[in-house]
Amino acid sequence: MTNFPLDPSLEDTHIENHHHHHGGHPHIHSEESLKKITNRLSRIEGHIRGVKTMVTENRACPEVLVQLAAVRGAIDRVSRLILDEHLSECIARAAKEGNIDAEIEELKAALDRFLP
C-alpha cells in the first residue's frame, strides 16, 4: 500500500472532550478517542488525494483499484472504531440515563443507511 502525504494543516488538530447533540441528548467523546478517529480520517483524506493524483496521471487501473480497496478498508476500520465508541460510551450512557430505547432506534436507523 502506498502512503500519500497528509494535509499538514490537519496534523496537529487538538480536540478537547467533544459534545454533540443528536436526537435531543448529548454525546460526549474523550479527547483521546476523537484524536484517534480524526487522525485516521486525515490519513484517509490524504490517501484519497493520492488516488485522485493517480487518476489524473493516468496510472494503471489495477493500481488505482488496489489503492481504492485500501481506502475502503481504512474507512471500514474507522467506522468500526466509531461504532465501538458508540456502543461502549453512548449506548452505555443512554442506558444509565434511561433513554436506551431512543438511542437504539437512532443506531438502527444509522446502520440501515450505513450497511449495504
Side-chain angles (χ1 to χ4, degrees), residues 35-100:
K35 187 170 179 79
K36 179 189 282 188
I37 291 167
T38 57
N39 284 344
R40 285 182 181 234
L41 290 170
S42 293
R43 286 194 298 272
I44 291 167
E45 186 177 37
H47 206 140
I48 290 288
R49 282 192 304 274
V51 172
K52 184 178 177 184
T53 299
M54 290 176 74
V55 170
T56 60
E57 292 174 350
N58 289 314
R59 299 274 291 274
C61 293
E63 289 179 44
V64 174
L65 290 171
V66 166
Q67 293 306 312
L68 286 172
V71 168
R72 184 175 30 204
I75 290 171
D76 288 345
R77 287 186 295 279
V78 79
S79 298
R80 177 58 190 252
L81 278 176
I82 291 169
L83 179 59
D84 286 349
E85 170 86 5
H86 187 68
L87 292 172
S88 64
E89 299 296 327
C90 302
I91 296 287
R93 188 177 306 109
K96 287 179 189 173
E97 294 171 356
N99 57 350
I100 188 73

Side-chain angles (χ1 to χ4, degrees), residues 16-20 27-31 33-34 85 90:
E16 294 300 324
N17 278 347
H18 177 72
H19 303 258
H20 62 94
H27 287 197
I28 304 166
H29 303 281
S30 71
E31 180 179 347
S33 173
L34 285 176
E85 170 86 5
C90 302

